[in-house]
Coordinates of all heavy atoms in Angstrom, one line a residue:
M181 N 119.2 92.8 74.4 CA 117.9 92.6 74.0 C 117.0 92.3 75.2 O 117.4 91.4 76.0 CB 117.7 91.4 73.0 CG 116.3 91.1 72.6 SD 116.4 89.9 71.3 CE 114.8 89.4 71.1
K182 N 116.0 93.0 75.4 CA 115.1 92.8 76.5 C 114.4 91.5 76.4 O 113.8 91.1 75.4 CB 114.1 94.0 76.6 CG 113.2 94.0 77.8 CD 112.4 95.2 77.8 CE 111.5 95.3 79.1 NZ 110.7 96.5 79.2
K183 N 114.4 90.7 77.5 CA 113.8 89.4 77.5 C 112.6 89.2 78.5 O 112.0 88.2 78.6 CB 114.8 88.3 77.8 CG 115.9 88.1 76.8 CD 115.4 87.3 75.6 CE 116.6 87.0 74.7 NZ 116.2 86.1 73.6
R184 N 112.4 90.3 79.3 CA 111.3 90.3 80.3 C 110.4 91.5 80.1 O 110.9 92.6 80.0 CB 111.9 90.3 81.7 CG 110.8 90.2 82.7 CD 111.4 89.6 84.0 NE 110.4 89.5 85.1 CZ 109.5 88.5 85.2 NH1 109.5 87.5 84.3 NH2 108.7 88.5 86.2
F185 N 109.1 91.2 80.0 CA 108.2 92.3 79.7 C 107.1 92.3 80.8 O 106.7 91.2 81.3 CB 107.6 92.1 78.3 CG 108.6 92.2 77.2 CD1 109.3 91.1 76.9 CD2 108.9 93.4 76.6 CE1 110.3 91.2 75.9 CE2 109.8 93.5 75.7 CZ 110.6 92.4 75.3
K186 N 106.6 93.5 81.0 CA 105.5 93.7 82.0 C 104.2 93.9 81.2 O 104.2 94.9 80.4 CB 105.8 94.8 82.9 CG 104.8 94.9 84.1 CD 105.3 95.9 85.1 CE 104.3 96.1 86.2 NZ 104.6 97.1 87.1
V187 N 103.2 93.1 81.4 CA 102.0 93.1 80.6 C 100.7 93.4 81.4 O 100.6 92.8 82.5 CB 101.8 91.8 79.8 CG1 100.6 91.8 78.9 CG2 103.1 91.5 79.0
L188 N 99.9 94.2 80.9 CA 98.6 94.4 81.6 C 97.6 93.6 80.8 O 97.4 93.9 79.6 CB 98.2 95.9 81.6 CG 96.9 96.3 82.3 CD1 97.0 95.9 83.8 CD2 96.6 97.8 82.2
A189 N 96.9 92.7 81.5 CA 95.9 91.8 80.8 C 94.5 92.3 81.3 O 94.2 92.3 82.5 CB 96.1 90.4 81.2
V190 N 93.7 92.7 80.3 CA 92.4 93.3 80.7 C 91.2 92.4 80.2 O 91.2 92.0 79.0 CB 92.3 94.7 80.1 CG1 90.9 95.4 80.4 CG2 93.4 95.6 80.6
C191 N 90.2 92.2 81.1 CA 89.0 91.5 80.7 C 87.9 92.2 81.5 O 88.1 93.0 82.4 CB 89.1 90.0 80.9 SG 88.9 89.5 82.7
G192 N 86.6 91.8 81.2 CA 85.5 92.4 81.8 C 85.5 92.4 83.3 O 85.2 93.4 84.0
S193 N 85.8 91.3 83.9 CA 85.8 91.2 85.4 C 87.2 91.4 86.0 O 87.3 91.6 87.2 CB 85.3 89.8 85.8 OG 86.3 88.8 85.5
G194 N 88.2 91.4 85.2 CA 89.5 91.7 85.7 C 90.2 90.5 86.4 O 91.2 90.6 87.0
T195 N 89.6 89.3 86.2 CA 90.1 88.1 86.8 C 90.2 86.9 85.9 O 91.3 86.6 85.4 CB 89.3 87.7 88.1 OG1 88.0 87.6 87.8 CG2 89.5 88.7 89.2
V196 N 89.1 86.3 85.6 CA 89.1 84.9 85.0 C 89.7 84.9 83.6 O 90.7 84.3 83.3 CB 87.7 84.3 85.0 CG1 87.7 83.0 84.3 CG2 87.2 84.2 86.4
T197 N 89.1 85.7 82.7 CA 89.6 85.6 81.3 C 91.0 86.2 81.1 O 91.8 85.7 80.4 CB 88.6 86.4 80.4 OG1 87.3 85.8 80.5 CG2 89.0 86.3 78.9
S198 N 91.2 87.3 81.8 CA 92.6 87.9 81.7 C 93.6 87.0 82.3 O 94.7 86.9 81.7 CB 92.6 89.3 82.4 OG 92.2 89.2 83.8
S199 N 93.3 86.3 83.3 CA 94.3 85.3 83.9 C 94.5 84.2 83.0 O 95.7 83.7 82.8 CB 93.8 84.8 85.2 OG 93.6 85.8 86.2
M200 N 93.5 83.7 82.3 CA 93.6 82.6 81.3 C 94.5 83.0 80.2 O 95.4 82.3 79.8 CB 92.3 82.1 80.8 CG 91.4 81.4 81.9 SD 89.7 81.0 81.3 CE 89.9 80.6 79.6
V201 N 94.2 84.2 79.6 CA 95.0 84.6 78.5 C 96.5 84.9 78.9 O 97.4 84.6 78.2 CB 94.4 85.9 77.9 CG1 95.2 86.5 76.8 CG2 93.0 85.5 77.3
A202 N 96.7 85.5 80.1 CA 98.0 85.8 80.5 C 98.8 84.5 80.7 O 100.0 84.5 80.3 CB 97.9 86.6 81.9
L203 N 98.2 83.5 81.3 CA 98.9 82.2 81.5 C 99.3 81.6 80.2 O 100.4 81.1 80.0 CB 98.1 81.3 82.4 CG 98.7 79.9 82.6 CD1 100.1 80.0 83.4 CD2 97.8 79.0 83.4
K204 N 98.3 81.6 79.3 CA 98.6 81.0 78.0 C 99.7 81.7 77.2 O 100.5 81.1 76.6 CB 97.3 81.0 77.2 CG 97.3 80.2 75.9 CD 95.8 80.2 75.3 CE 95.8 79.5 74.0 NZ 94.5 79.5 73.4
L205 N 99.7 83.1 77.3 CA 100.8 83.9 76.7 C 102.1 83.6 77.3 O 103.1 83.5 76.6 CB 100.4 85.3 76.7 CG 101.4 86.3 76.1 CD1 101.6 85.9 74.6 CD2 101.0 87.7 76.2
K206 N 102.2 83.5 78.7 CA 103.4 83.2 79.3 C 104.0 81.9 78.8 O 105.2 81.8 78.5 CB 103.2 83.0 80.9 CG 103.0 84.3 81.6 CD 102.8 84.1 83.1 CE 102.5 85.4 83.8 NZ 102.2 85.2 85.2
E207 N 103.1 80.9 78.7 CA 103.6 79.6 78.2 C 104.1 79.6 76.8 O 105.1 79.1 76.4 CB 102.5 78.5 78.3 CG 102.2 78.2 79.8 CD 100.9 77.4 79.9 OE1 100.2 77.1 79.0 OE2 100.6 76.9 81.1
A208 N 103.4 80.4 75.9 CA 103.7 80.5 74.5 C 105.1 81.2 74.3 O 105.9 80.9 73.5 CB 102.7 81.2 73.7
L209 N 105.3 82.3 75.2 CA 106.5 83.1 75.0 C 107.7 82.4 75.7 O 108.9 82.7 75.3 CB 106.3 84.4 75.6 CG 105.4 85.3 74.9 CD1 105.2 86.7 75.6 CD2 105.8 85.6 73.4
E210 N 107.5 81.5 76.6 CA 108.6 80.7 77.2 C 109.4 80.0 76.1 O 110.6 79.9 76.2 CB 108.1 79.7 78.2 CG 107.8 80.4 79.6 CD 107.2 79.4 80.6 OE1 107.1 78.2 80.3 OE2 106.9 79.9 81.7
D211 N 108.7 79.5 75.1 CA 109.3 78.7 74.0 C 110.3 79.7 73.2 O 111.2 79.2 72.5 CB 108.3 78.1 73.1 CG 107.4 77.1 73.7 OD1 107.9 76.5 74.7 OD2 106.3 76.8 73.2
E212 N 110.0 81.0 73.3 CA 110.8 81.9 72.6 C 111.9 82.5 73.5 O 112.6 83.4 73.0 CB 109.9 83.1 72.0 CG 108.8 82.6 71.1 CD 109.3 82.1 69.8 OE1 110.4 82.5 69.3 OE2 108.6 81.2 69.3
G213 N 112.0 82.1 74.7 CA 113.0 82.6 75.6 C 112.6 83.9 76.2 O 113.5 84.7 76.7
I214 N 111.3 84.2 76.2 CA 110.8 85.5 76.7 C 109.9 85.3 77.9 O 109.1 84.4 77.8 CB 110.0 86.2 75.6 CG1 110.9 86.5 74.4 CG2 109.4 87.5 76.1 CD1 110.2 86.9 73.1
S215 N 110.1 86.1 78.9 CA 109.2 85.9 80.1 C 108.4 87.2 80.3 O 108.9 88.3 79.9 CB 110.0 85.6 81.3 OG 110.9 86.6 81.7
I216 N 107.3 87.0 80.8 CA 106.4 88.2 81.1 C 105.9 88.1 82.5 O 105.7 87.0 83.1 CB 105.2 88.3 80.1 CG1 104.3 87.1 80.2 CG2 105.7 88.5 78.7 CD1 103.0 87.2 79.4
S217 N 105.7 89.2 83.1 CA 104.9 89.3 84.3 C 103.6 90.0 84.0 O 103.6 90.9 83.1 CB 105.7 90.1 85.4 OG 105.9 91.4 85.0
T218 N 102.5 89.6 84.6 CA 101.2 90.2 84.2 C 100.5 90.7 85.4 O 100.7 90.3 86.5 CB 100.3 89.2 83.5 OG1 100.1 88.1 84.4 CG2 101.0 88.7 82.2
T219 N 99.7 91.7 85.1 CA 98.7 92.2 86.1 C 97.4 92.1 85.4 O 97.2 92.6 84.3 CB 99.0 93.7 86.4 OG1 100.3 93.8 87.0 CG2 98.0 94.2 87.5
E220 N 96.4 91.5 86.1 CA 95.1 91.4 85.5 C 94.2 92.6 86.0 O 94.3 93.0 87.2 CB 94.4 90.1 85.9 CG 95.1 88.9 85.2 CD 96.4 88.5 85.8 OE1 96.6 88.7 87.0 OE2 97.3 88.0 85.1
A221 N 93.4 93.1 85.1 CA 92.6 94.3 85.5 C 91.3 94.4 84.7 O 91.1 93.7 83.7 CB 93.4 95.6 85.2
K222 N 90.3 95.1 85.2 CA 89.1 95.5 84.5 C 89.4 96.7 83.6 O 90.3 97.4 83.9 CB 88.0 95.9 85.5 CG 87.6 94.8 86.5 CD 86.5 95.4 87.3 CE 86.8 95.2 88.8 NZ 85.8 95.7 89.7
P223 N 88.5 96.8 82.6 CA 88.7 98.0 81.7 C 88.7 99.3 82.5 O 89.4 100.3 82.1 CB 87.5 97.9 80.7 CG 87.2 96.5 80.7 CD 87.5 96.0 82.1
T224 N 87.9 99.4 83.5 CA 87.8 100.7 84.3 C 89.1 100.9 85.1 O 89.3 102.1 85.5 CB 86.6 100.6 85.2 OG1 86.7 99.5 86.1 CG2 85.3 100.7 84.5
E225 N 89.9 99.9 85.3 CA 91.2 100.1 86.1 C 92.4 100.3 85.2 O 93.4 100.8 85.6 CB 91.4 98.8 86.9 CG 90.3 98.5 87.9 CD 90.5 97.1 88.5 OE1 91.0 96.2 87.8 OE2 90.1 97.0 89.6
A226 N 92.3 100.0 83.9 CA 93.4 99.9 83.0 C 94.1 101.2 82.8 O 95.4 101.3 82.9 CB 93.0 99.4 81.6
L227 N 93.4 102.3 82.6 CA 94.1 103.6 82.4 C 94.8 104.1 83.6 O 96.0 104.6 83.5 CB 93.0 104.6 81.9 CG 93.6 105.9 81.3 CD1 94.5 105.7 80.1 CD2 92.4 106.8 80.9
N228 N 94.3 103.9 84.8 CA 94.9 104.3 86.0 C 96.2 103.4 86.2 O 97.3 103.9 86.6 CB 94.0 104.1 87.2 CG 94.6 104.7 88.5 OD1 95.2 105.8 88.4 ND2 94.5 104.0 89.5
L229 N 96.1 102.1 86.0 CA 97.3 101.2 86.2 C 98.4 101.6 85.2 O 99.5 101.6 85.5 CB 96.9 99.8 86.0 CG 96.1 99.2 87.2 CD1 95.5 97.8 86.8 CD2 97.0 99.0 88.4
I230 N 98.0 101.8 83.9 CA 99.0 102.1 82.9 C 99.7 103.4 83.1 O 100.9 103.6 82.8 CB 98.4 102.0 81.5 CG1 99.5 101.5 80.5 CG2 97.8 103.2 81.0 CD1 99.8 100.1 80.5
S231 N 99.0 104.4 83.7 CA 99.6 105.7 84.0 C 100.6 105.6 85.1 O 101.5 106.5 85.2 CB 98.5 106.7 84.3 OG 97.9 106.4 85.6
G232 N 100.6 104.5 85.9 CA 101.6 104.3 86.9 C 102.9 103.9 86.3 O 104.0 103.9 86.9
G233 N 102.9 103.6 85.0 CA 104.1 103.3 84.3 C 104.6 101.8 84.5 O 104.1 101.1 85.3
G234 N 105.6 101.5 83.7 CA 106.3 100.2 83.8 C 105.7 99.1 82.9 O 106.4 98.1 82.8
Y235 N 104.5 99.3 82.3 CA 104.0 98.3 81.5 C 104.5 98.5 80.0 O 104.6 99.6 79.5 CB 102.5 98.3 81.5 CG 101.9 97.9 82.8 CD1 101.5 98.8 83.7 CD2 101.7 96.5 83.1 CE1 101.0 98.4 85.0 CE2 101.2 96.1 84.3 CZ 100.8 97.1 85.2 OH 100.3 96.7 86.4
D236 N 104.8 97.3 79.4 CA 105.3 97.4 78.0 C 104.2 97.3 77.0 O 104.3 97.9 75.9 CB 106.2 96.2 77.8 CG 107.5 96.3 78.6 OD1 108.2 97.3 78.4 OD2 107.7 95.5 79.5
F237 N 103.1 96.6 77.3 CA 101.9 96.5 76.4 C 100.7 96.0 77.1 O 100.8 95.5 78.3 CB 102.2 95.7 75.1 CG 102.7 94.3 75.3 CD1 101.8 93.3 75.3 CD2 104.0 94.0 75.4 CE1 102.2 92.0 75.5 CE2 104.5 92.7 75.5 CZ 103.6 91.7 75.6
I238 N 99.6 96.1 76.5 CA 98.3 95.6 77.0 C 97.8 94.5 76.1 O 97.8 94.7 74.9 CB 97.3 96.8 77.1 CG1 97.8 97.9 78.0 CG2 95.9 96.3 77.5 CD1 96.9 99.2 77.9
I239 N 97.2 93.5 76.7 CA 96.4 92.5 76.0 C 95.0 92.6 76.6 O 94.8 92.8 77.8 CB 97.0 91.1 76.1 CG1 97.1 90.6 77.5 CG2 98.3 91.0 75.3 CD1 97.6 89.1 77.6
N240 N 94.0 92.6 75.7 CA 92.6 92.7 76.2 C 91.6 91.8 75.5 O 91.8 91.5 74.3 CB 92.2 94.2 76.1 CG 92.1 94.6 74.6 OD1 93.0 94.5 73.8 ND2 91.0 95.2 74.3
T241 N 90.6 91.4 76.3 CA 89.5 90.6 75.7 C 88.2 91.4 75.8 O 87.2 91.0 75.4 CB 89.3 89.3 76.4 OG1 89.1 89.5 77.8 CG2 90.6 88.4 76.2
S242 N 88.3 92.6 76.5 CA 87.1 93.5 76.6 C 87.6 94.9 76.1 O 88.8 95.2 76.3 CB 86.7 93.6 78.1 OG 86.2 92.4 78.5
P243 N 86.7 95.7 75.6 CA 87.0 97.0 75.1 C 87.6 97.8 76.2 O 87.1 97.8 77.4 CB 85.7 97.6 74.6 CG 84.9 96.4 74.3 CD 85.3 95.4 75.3
L244 N 88.6 98.6 75.9 CA 89.1 99.6 76.9 C 88.4 100.9 76.9 O 87.8 101.3 75.8 CB 90.6 99.8 76.6 CG 91.5 98.6 76.7 CD1 92.9 99.0 76.2 CD2 91.6 98.2 78.1
I245 N 88.4 101.6 78.0 CA 87.8 102.9 78.0 C 88.7 103.9 77.2 O 89.9 103.7 77.3 CB 87.7 103.4 79.5 CG1 86.7 102.5 80.2 CG2 87.3 104.8 79.6 CD1 86.6 102.6 81.7
A246 N 88.1 104.8 76.5 CA 88.9 105.7 75.7 C 89.9 106.5 76.5 O 89.6 106.8 77.7 CB 88.0 106.7 75.0
G247 N 91.1 106.6 76.0 CA 92.2 107.3 76.6 C 93.5 107.1 76.0 O 93.6 106.3 75.1
D248 N 94.5 107.8 76.4 CA 95.8 107.6 75.9 C 96.6 106.6 76.8 O 97.0 107.0 77.9 CB 96.5 108.9 75.8 CG 97.9 108.8 75.3 OD1 98.3 107.8 74.7 OD2 98.7 109.8 75.4
Y249 N 96.8 105.4 76.3 CA 97.5 104.4 77.1 C 99.0 104.5 77.0 O 99.7 104.0 77.8 CB 96.9 103.0 76.8 CG 95.5 102.9 77.3 CD1 94.4 103.3 76.5 CD2 95.2 102.3 78.5 CE1 93.1 103.2 77.0 CE2 93.9 102.2 79.0 CZ 92.9 102.6 78.2 OH 91.6 102.5 78.7
G250 N 99.4 105.0 75.8 CA 100.9 105.2 75.6 C 101.7 103.9 75.4 O 102.9 104.0 75.3
V251 N 101.0 102.8 75.3 CA 101.7 101.5 75.0 C 100.9 100.8 73.9 O 99.7 101.0 73.8 CB 101.9 100.6 76.2 CG1 102.8 101.3 77.3 CG2 100.6 100.2 76.9
P252 N 101.5 99.8 73.2 CA 100.7 99.0 72.3 C 99.6 98.2 73.0 O 99.7 97.8 74.1 CB 101.7 98.1 71.7 CG 103.0 98.7 71.9 CD 102.9 99.5 73.2
I253 N 98.4 98.1 72.3 CA 97.3 97.4 72.8 C 97.0 96.3 71.8 O 96.8 96.5 70.6 CB 96.0 98.3 72.9 CG1 96.4 99.4 73.9 CG2 94.8 97.5 73.4 CD1 95.3 100.5 74.0
I254 N 97.0 95.0 72.2 CA 96.7 93.9 71.4 C 95.5 93.1 71.8 O 95.4 92.7 72.9 CB 97.9 92.9 71.3 CG1 99.2 93.7 70.9 CG2 97.7 91.8 70.4 CD1 100.2 93.8 72.0
N255 N 94.5 93.0 70.9 CA 93.3 92.3 71.2 C 93.6 90.8 71.3 O 94.1 90.2 70.4 CB 92.2 92.6 70.1 CG 90.9 92.0 70.4 OD1 90.8 90.9 70.8 ND2 89.9 92.8 70.3
A256 N 93.1 90.2 72.4 CA 93.5 88.8 72.7 C 92.3 87.9 72.6 O 92.4 86.7 72.9 CB 94.0 88.7 74.1
V257 N 91.2 88.3 72.0 CA 90.0 87.5 71.9 C 90.3 86.2 71.1 O 89.9 85.1 71.4 CB 88.8 88.3 71.3 CG1 87.6 87.3 71.0 CG2 88.3 89.4 72.2
G258 N 91.0 86.4 69.9 CA 91.3 85.2 69.1 C 92.2 84.3 69.8 O 92.1 83.0 69.6
F259 N 93.1 84.8 70.7 CA 94.0 83.9 71.5 C 93.1 83.1 72.5 O 93.4 81.9 72.8 CB 95.0 84.7 72.2 CG 96.2 84.0 72.7 CD1 97.0 83.2 71.9 CD2 96.6 84.1 74.0 CE1 98.1 82.5 72.4 CE2 97.6 83.4 74.6 CZ 98.4 82.6 73.7
L260 N 92.1 83.7 73.0 CA 91.3 83.1 74.0 C 90.4 82.0 73.4 O 90.3 80.9 73.9 CB 90.4 84.1 74.7 CG 89.3 83.6 75.6 CD1 90.0 83.1 76.9 CD2 88.3 84.7 76.0
T261 N 89.8 82.3 72.2 CA 88.9 81.4 71.5 C 89.6 80.3 70.7 O 89.0 79.3 70.4 CB 88.0 82.1 70.6 OG1 88.8 82.7 69.5 CG2 87.2 83.2 71.3
G262 N 90.9 80.5 70.4 CA 91.6 79.6 69.6 C 91.6 79.9 68.1 O 92.2 79.2 67.3
F263 N 90.7 80.8 67.7 CA 90.6 81.2 66.3 C 91.4 82.5 66.2 O 90.9 83.6 66.5 CB 89.2 81.4 65.9 CG 88.4 80.2 66.0 CD1 87.5 80.0 67.1 CD2 88.5 79.2 65.1 CE1 86.8 78.8 67.2 CE2 87.7 78.0 65.2 CZ 86.9 77.8 66.2
G264 N 92.6 82.4 65.7 CA 93.5 83.6 65.5 C 94.7 83.6 66.5 O 95.3 84.6 66.7
E265 N 95.0 82.5 67.0 CA 96.1 82.4 67.9 C 97.4 82.8 67.3 O 98.2 83.5 67.8 CB 96.2 80.9 68.5 CG 95.2 80.6 69.5 CD 95.4 79.2 70.1 OE1 96.3 78.4 69.6 OE2 94.7 78.9 71.0
E266 N 97.7 82.2 66.1 CA 98.9 82.5 65.4 C 99.1 84.0 65.1 O 100.1 84.6 65.3 CB 99.0 81.7 64.1 CG 99.2 80.3 64.3 CD 99.3 79.5 63.0 OE1 99.7 80.1 61.9 OE2 99.0 78.3 63.0
E267 N 98.0 84.7 64.6 CA 98.0 86.1 64.4 C 98.3 86.9 65.7 O 99.1 87.8 65.7 CB 96.7 86.5 63.8 CG 96.7 88.0 63.4 CD 95.3 88.4 62.8 OE1 94.5 87.6 62.4 OE2 95.1 89.7 62.7
F268 N 97.7 86.5 66.8 CA 97.9 87.1 68.0 C 99.4 87.0 68.4 O 100.0 88.0 68.8 CB 97.0 86.5 69.1 CG 97.3 87.0 70.5 CD1 96.8 88.3 70.9 CD2 98.0 86.3 71.4 CE1 97.1 88.8 72.1 CE2 98.3 86.8 72.7 CZ 97.8 88.1 73.0
I269 N 100.0 85.8 68.3 CA 101.4 85.6 68.7 C 102.3 86.5 67.8 O 103.2 87.1 68.2 CB 101.8 84.1 68.7 CG1 101.0 83.4 69.8 CG2 103.3 84.0 68.8 CD1 101.4 83.9 71.3
E270 N 101.9 86.5 66.5 CA 102.7 87.3 65.5 C 102.7 88.8 66.0 O 103.7 89.5 65.9 CB 102.2 87.1 64.1 CG 102.5 85.8 63.5 CD 101.8 85.6 62.2 OE1 101.2 86.6 61.6 OE2 101.9 84.5 61.6
N271 N 101.5 89.3 66.4 CA 101.3 90.7 66.8 C 102.2 90.9 68.1 O 102.8 91.9 68.2 CB 99.9 91.0 67.1 CG 99.1 91.2 65.8 OD1 99.6 91.4 64.7 ND2 97.8 91.0 65.9
I272 N 102.1 90.0 69.0 CA 102.9 90.1 70.2 C 104.4 90.1 69.9 O 105.2 91.0 70.4 CB 102.7 88.9 71.2 CG1 101.2 89.0 71.7 CG2 103.7 88.9 72.3 CD1 100.9 90.1 72.7
M273 N 104.9 89.3 69.0 CA 106.3 89.2 68.7 C 106.7 90.5 67.9 O 107.8 91.0 68.1 CB 106.6 88.0 67.8 CG 106.4 86.7 68.6 SD 107.3 86.6 70.1 CE 109.0 86.6 69.5
K274 N 105.8 91.1 67.1 CA 106.1 92.3 66.5 C 106.3 93.5 67.5 O 107.2 94.3 67.4 CB 105.0 92.7 65.5 CG 105.3 94.0 64.7 CD 104.2 94.4 63.8 CE 104.4 95.6 63.0 NZ 104.9 96.8 63.7
V275 N 105.4 93.5 68.5 CA 105.5 94.5 69.5 C 106.8 94.4 70.3 O 107.5 95.3 70.6 CB 104.2 94.4 70.5 CG1 104.4 95.2 71.8 CG2 103.0 95.0 69.7
I276 N 107.1 93.1 70.7 CA 108.3 92.9 71.4 C 109.5 93.3 70.6 O 110.5 93.9 71.1 CB 108.4 91.4 71.8 CG1 107.4 91.1 72.9 CG2 109.8 91.0 72.2 CD1 107.2 89.7 73.3
K277 N 109.5 93.0 69.3 CA 110.6 93.4 68.4 C 110.7 94.9 68.4 O 111.8 95.5 68.5 CB 110.4 92.8 67.0 CG 111.5 93.1 66.1 CD 111.3 92.5 64.7 CE 112.4 92.9 63.7 NZ 112.1 92.5 62.4
D278 N 109.6 95.6 68.2 CA 109.6 97.1 68.2 C 110.1 97.7 69.5 O 110.9 98.6 69.5 CB 108.2 97.6 67.9 CG 107.7 97.3 66.5 OD1 108.5 96.9 65.7 OD2 106.5 97.4 66.3
I279 N 109.7 97.1 70.6 CA 110.2 97.6 71.9 C 111.7 97.4 72.0 O 112.4 98.3 72.5 CB 109.5 96.8 73.1 CG1 108.0 97.3 73.2 CG2 110.2 97.1 74.4 CD1 107.2 96.4 74.1
N280 N 112.2 96.3 71.6 CA 113.6 96.0 71.6 C 114.4 96.9 70.7 O 115.6 97.1 70.9 CB 113.9 94.5 71.3 CG 113.7 93.7 72.6 OD1 114.0 94.1 73.7 ND2 113.2 92.5 72.4
N281 N 113.8 97.4 69.6 CA 114.5 98.2 68.6 C 114.5 99.7 69.0 O 115.1 100.5 68.3 CB 113.9 98.1 67.2 CG 114.2 96.7 66.6 OD1 115.3 96.2 66.9 ND2 113.4 96.3 65.7
K282 N 113.8 100.0 70.1 CA 113.8 101.5 70.5 C 115.1 101.8 71.2 O 115.8 101.1 71.8 CB 112.6 101.7 71.5 CG 111.3 101.8 70.8 CD 110.2 102.1 71.7 CE 108.9 102.2 71.0 NZ 107.8 102.5 71.9

């Protein structure tokens, strides 16, 4: 079972919000024995970064530019605001389970 995942965290500026969400997710997943490495990016950078490969999924607080990302995309706004945290973590765990079942 894969226990380490590479995540692309996307927000409007590519720094502050994506970093906050990424750190919060790292902490939440540590309790589950899962570690992640993250790269923070702007929506305009996401498609290019993801095409380089290696990412397991994307978390975003800003809309992504239309395109084929080829990995699951999970909206992280609720995780950022605190309203919808449990649903966000459930979605992340489902994606992780799906990846591990491939």
Side-chain angles (χ1 to χ4, degrees):
M181 180 172 170
K182 186 173 181 179
K183 295 280 190 175
R184 183 156 180 80
F185 297 86
K186 190 171 176 186
V187 179
L188 185 61
V190 179
C191 74
S193 69
T195 54
V196 179
T197 304
S198 56
S199 296
M200 289 172 38
V201 172
L203 178 61
K204 191 173 176 181
L205 181 59
K206 283 180 187 179
E207 292 171 352
L209 292 178
E210 281 177 3
D211 294 340
E212 303 293 329
I214 298 166
S215 67
I216 62 170
S217 63
T218 60
T219 301
E220 290 76 32
K222 297 183 233 181
T224 55
E225 302 168 326
L227 194 55
N228 188 45
L229 285 168
I230 209 78
S231 68
Y235 290 96
D236 295 297
F237 57 91
I238 298 171
I239 56 175
N240 66 309
T241 59
S242 295
L244 295 171
I245 294 172
D248 181 12
Y249 291 85
V251 296
I253 300 168
I254 304 112
N255 186 310
V257 171
F259 196 56
L260 176 68
T261 64
F263 298 102
E265 287 183 351
E266 288 179 25
E267 182 181 347
F268 175 77
I269 292 295
E270 286 173 10
N271 288 337
I272 293 290
M273 294 307 292
K274 181 183 180 313
V275 165
I276 286 172
K277 183 179 177 185
D278 290 347
I279 290 168
N280 279 325
N281 286 335
K282 285 185 179 179

